Amino acid sequence: MSNTRNLKRPEVLAPAGTLEKLKVAIQYGADAVYIGGDAYGLRSRAGNFSFEEMAEGVEFAKKYGAQVYVAANMVTHEGNEEGAGDFFRKLRDIGIRAVIVSDPALISICAQEAPGLPIHLSTQASATNFETLEFWKELGLERVVLAREVSMEELAEIRKNTDIEIEAFVHGAMCISYSGRCVLSNYMSHRDANRGGCSQSCRWKYDLFDMPYGEERRSITGEVPEEFSMSAVDMSMIEHLPDIIENGVDSLKIEGRMKSIHYVSTVANVYKKGVDAYLESPEAFEEIKPALVDELWKVAQRELATGFYYGAPTEEQQLFGARRKIPQYKFVGEVVDFDQATMTATVRQRNVIKVGDQIEFYGPGFRHFTTFVENLRNEDGELIDRAPNPMELLTMTVPQVVEPGDMIRRHGEGLINLYQKDGTSKTVRA
């Protein structure tokens, strides 16, 4: 698609917690993915990659012209840096495009012991002004991931005053602590958030107490609507992509290495389509924007806001009381084969599928259509009414052409809690 206004096309950067997610993200439009290795990262519970898996991921990405980055953004204590030089050299030799680092010790080791491997500064380093970006540029870094606390006004000023590549978060979970540098998990669960062990203590349910001086404390749970005291909503900048693109951001970062392939495929698909539309014209973007927003609400996530881009978050950007919006779709399968002669799709099931279910097929390039489950058969070719076993291969007839890799959602999950301005809520069936 031609860009008649000569705007720079930003990279859509998606998370990939496993090799499967890496492939899905790239197939669904990601220009690059970021992964974690077996060491030096901040997601110890994600499906981190072995060197062999990294090599396979790099080869897969090359077929699509995509890039693979590795996050090595932990804060090192004495001894943690041992072996880092060999680690970075292996990443370079495998063909990893760049490594994302926050600790100056690891940056120095990488620069000295793995020359030729580009370094990107992690958001953990809290870069919030152009002087900071210039400092890291002079030290040889190629790109800076901005702190999530940077406003749109500050972003514009930064871009005017430095030519180093800028990466900015546009979608996903927001950390309650400044740039993710938190010790709450250390104290609550003895898991170091800055060395890959965050237990997300901020999202736990907390009791509240009335503690008059000299008297015994008294729980006031039930007297106030709060059950979470520190849990932030997620970020979504899909409606504000024009501001991000016009201010020269080089890479649009999506959070979520521990998210599902349903989430990764959907969000990568949406942001790729949004970028394409805006580069075509502002009118094309405005026309498709409602569909992009609707699509994002088909995956499980928290409520959405714009983070710090347009002012400091208020209590409206915290999770409390009744949920104001809940996704109403469930991921149920993916297409592994299609016979156009019989219009039969072979599907790998992920959740329960029943005859008569309203389902939606979607694929790369923002392709969609809705239908109903018909002529459902198990692996033995037997007609069935219900398929309850995950990862079973099924067949079903479909009214339109589908492709291997297309995903399937089921519509109509559960209830919607509608938050009211007076603090009450009402519940309606989906």
Side-chain angles (χ1 to χ4, degrees), residues 11-15 30-34 69 143 167 251-254:
E11 167 188 271
V12 174
L13 176 57
D31 302 296
V33 295
Y34 62 100
Y69 309 136
R143 177 186 294 183
E167 186 175 304
S251 181
L252 311 180
K253 189 164 195 171
I254 300 164

Side-chain angles (χ1 to χ4, degrees), residues 276-296:
D276 287 346
Y278 187 69
L279 292 181
E280 179 183 344
S281 71
E283 294 77 18
F285 177 77
E286 288 301 318
E287 182 178 345
I288 199 172
K289 183 166 69 174
L292 299 175
V293 174
D294 288 346
E295 186 75 2
L296 287 176

Side-chain angles (χ1 to χ4, degrees), residues 119-316:
I119 303 171
H120 296 176
L121 187 73
S122 169
T123 191
Q124 300 290 123
S126 308
T128 56
N129 57 76
F130 74 83
E131 291 91 347
T132 296
L133 272 69
E134 283 290 290
F135 170 84
W136 290 110
K137 176 187 172 183
E138 290 173 9
L139 288 181
L141 272 65
E142 178 183 89
R143 177 186 294 183
V144 169
V145 186
L146 293 181
R148 297 187 213 191
E149 294 77 21
V150 171
S151 69
M152 191 62 67
E153 184 178 359
E154 290 170 329
L155 171 58
E157 190 67 17
I158 290 169
R159 180 72 291 169
K160 289 176 185 176
N161 289 279
T162 182
D163 60 359
I164 192 172
E165 289 186 11
I166 293 175
E167 186 175 304
F169 279 91
V170 295
H171 199 90
M174 292 285 288
C175 185
I176 204 70
S177 294
Y178 202 96
S179 294
R181 296 181 299 170
C182 179
V183 294
L184 189 63
S185 176
N186 302 49
Y187 287 95
M188 293 294 190
S189 58
H190 302 289
R191 288 166 47 178
D192 193 336
N194 299 300
R195 287 193 285 175
C198 182
S199 60
Q200 298 195 26
S201 304
C202 57
R203 301 201 188 276
W204 296 358
K205 293 183 179 181
Y206 287 90
D207 204 350
L208 297 175
F209 294 90
D210 182 17
M211 300 178 67
Y213 181 75
E215 298 180 25
E216 186 174 345
R217 69 179 188 177
R218 179 180 66 87
S219 171
I220 57 174
T221 296
E223 298 179 26
V224 293
E226 307 292 330
E227 283 192 323
F228 292 80
S229 58
M230 292 174 283
S231 191
V233 303
D234 287 358
M235 173 192 286
S236 177
M237 288 295 289
I238 191 62
E239 296 183 76
H240 304 279
L241 273 183
D243 286 351
I244 293 284
I245 295 173
E246 293 285 351
N247 280 310
V249 172
D250 297 278
S251 181
L252 311 180
K253 189 164 195 171
I254 300 164
E255 183 276 338
R257 274 191 283 152
M258 296 176 69
K259 296 285 193 177
S260 68
I261 62 171
H262 180 211
Y263 181 92
V264 171
S265 61
T266 300
V267 179
N269 213 4
V270 165
Y271 277 88
K272 184 67 167 184
K273 186 64 175 179
V275 168
D276 287 346
Y278 187 69
L279 292 181
E280 179 183 344
S281 71
E283 294 77 18
F285 177 77
E286 288 301 318
E287 182 178 345
I288 199 172
K289 183 166 69 174
L292 299 175
V293 174
D294 288 346
E295 186 75 2
L296 287 176
W297 275 109
K298 293 176 182 178
V299 294
Q301 59 195 336
R302 302 174 186 93
E303 295 163 34
L304 301 174
T306 56
F308 286 82
Y309 281 115
Y310 301 104
T314 69
E315 70 278 2
E316 290 298 315

Side-chain angles (χ1 to χ4, degrees), residues 318-365:
Q318 302 296 308
L319 295 177
F320 63 92
R323 284 290 299 268
R324 284 160 277 191
K325 192 168 185 178
I326 298 176
Q328 297 303 304
Y329 285 79
K330 189 167 188 175
F331 177 48
V332 295
E334 57 190 310
V335 177
V336 297
D337 198 9
F338 176 66
D339 183 349
Q340 190 163 354
T342 60
M343 295 299 288
T344 299
T346 301
V347 172
R348 180 179 292 111
Q349 177 201 11
R350 296 290 182 137
N351 278 295
V352 176
I353 301 176
K354 303 188 299 295
V355 171
D357 281 345
Q358 185 182 33
I359 56 174
E360 180 185 58
F361 285 85
Y362 72 95

